[in-house]
Amino acid sequence: MEGPDKGFTIKELPVEERPREKVLKKGSSYLSNAELLALIIRTGNRNRTAVELSQDLLNYFGGLRGILDLSSEELQEVKGIGIAKSAQIIAVIELAKRIASIKNYKKDLVSNPAQAAELLTSEMRFLKQEVLRTILLDVKNRVIAVPEISKGGLSSSIVHPREVFKEAIRRSSAAVILVHNHPSGDPKPSADDINITKKLQKAGEIIGIKVIDHIIIAGDKFLSFKEENLIK
């Protein structure tokens, strides 16, 4: 918990080291992660400036990725981070996630696996459970929509062709690309991944909606079933 004592503010740093002045003069890309966080939490404590406290936080949890899904209680494990600061950090992380998810998919053209992966990597690479989504395409390979199909892994009990193709049929899709993530960071497909893909491909042939690829996103890496000759 943060006490009533006044902490060091960013204004007390030398002018050339103040994140606010730096972001206004040079732009946000010139700030370190700690400096950006310092602008959010605003003040430090008796012994640490806001920048130093932000760096303590990043060091404790292993960088930005480590703080993405933390609770207020977990953030408060770092000395100097109390209820107010933890709430500010959680709020800005959630806002960043929502901004990242805002895409006008209908303007996107998907003609190769890299474009398909790029469409969803920023949203899916840090997820802590497996999520299956489909990229619905028209006859010109333009994106119609990217609905979420399931959470919790790929298995016959969770992923049913009816759920996968329901939105594709409703939106008159010509083709679909399956996309799911591997929280482990390893994009190698499992036996379930391969079997489910074959099952969905056969179902798509019957209803006239082609499954043209399956993309596995694992951190900054991805694997395409098409490129690996796992799908025809």
Side-chain angles (χ1 to χ4, degrees):
M1 299 271 307
E2 293 166 308
D5 299 298
K6 180 181 179 297
F8 291 112
T9 67
I10 290 174
K11 288 183 179 180
E12 292 174 287
L13 292 170
V15 173
E16 66 276 7
E17 295 180 16
R18 295 177 190 172
R20 186 177 68 182
E21 281 70 16
K22 190 184 293 187
V23 75
L24 293 174
K25 185 176 181 180
K26 295 184 176 181
S28 57
S29 62
Y30 283 86
L31 272 66
S32 66
N33 292 335
E35 289 171 325
L36 289 169
L37 264 179
L39 285 170
I40 303 303
I41 66 173
R42 297 179 57 208
T43 62
N45 56 29
R46 284 183 175 182
N47 302 313
R48 308 289 281 169
T49 66
V51 175
E52 291 170 333
L53 187 55
S54 297
Q55 191 62 60
D56 290 345
L57 182 72
L58 294 171
N59 291 343
Y60 188 85
F61 291 109
L64 284 178
R65 182 169 185 170
I67 67 172
L68 279 177
D69 295 297
L70 297 180
S71 66
S72 175
E73 290 76 15
E74 289 171 318
L75 288 168
Q76 289 178 61
E77 291 176 13
V78 176
K79 186 176 181 181
I81 301 295
I83 293 175
K85 286 181 171 58
S86 66
Q88 289 168 325
I89 293 167
I90 290 170
V92 78
I93 289 173
E94 178 60 27
L95 185 60
K97 289 179 180 179
R98 294 185 187 186
I99 291 171
S101 70
I102 297 172
K103 289 181 67 72
N104 186 4
Y105 292 118
K106 292 185 179 181
K107 289 183 178 180
D108 288 301
L109 181 70
V110 174
S111 57
N112 59 61
Q115 288 176 334
E118 183 180 1
L119 199 65
L120 289 171
T121 295
S122 63
E123 299 175 39
M124 298 183 72
R125 62 182 175 176
F126 294 133
L127 297 178
K128 293 189 175 180
Q129 63 176 323
E130 288 193 20
V131 173
L132 172 66
R133 300 181 71 172
T134 55
I135 301 175
L136 309 183
L137 303 173
D138 66 15
V139 294
K140 294 183 178 180
N141 284 337
R142 292 177 303 198
V143 179
I144 299 171
V146 188
E148 182 177 296
I149 306 302
S150 68
K151 288 183 178 180
L154 267 64
S155 68
S156 297
S157 61
I158 296 176
V159 181
H160 193 281
R162 178 181 59 249
E163 298 304 319
V164 172
F165 290 104
K166 179 171 64 176
E167 194 68 12
I169 294 169
R170 190 179 76 81
R171 292 176 175 264
S172 301
S173 305
V176 303
I177 297 173
L178 309 172
V179 184
H180 86 281
N181 64 301
H182 278 181
S184 66
D186 182 0
K188 183 179 179 180
S190 66
D192 274 342
D193 294 340
I194 295 170
N195 292 334
I196 289 295
T197 302
K198 291 179 179 178
K199 178 181 178 181
L200 293 175
Q201 192 175 25
K202 289 179 180 179
E205 289 172 358
I206 293 171
I207 62 178
I209 299 176
K210 188 175 183 180
V211 177
I212 61 175
D213 202 350
H214 186 164
I215 303 293
I216 297 177
I217 294 171
D220 293 324
K221 298 175 288 187
F222 77 90
L223 179 141
S224 161
F225 274 48
K226 186 175 182 179
E227 289 183 338
E228 297 294 322
N229 296 314
L230 295 172
I231 196 169
K232 297 180 180 179

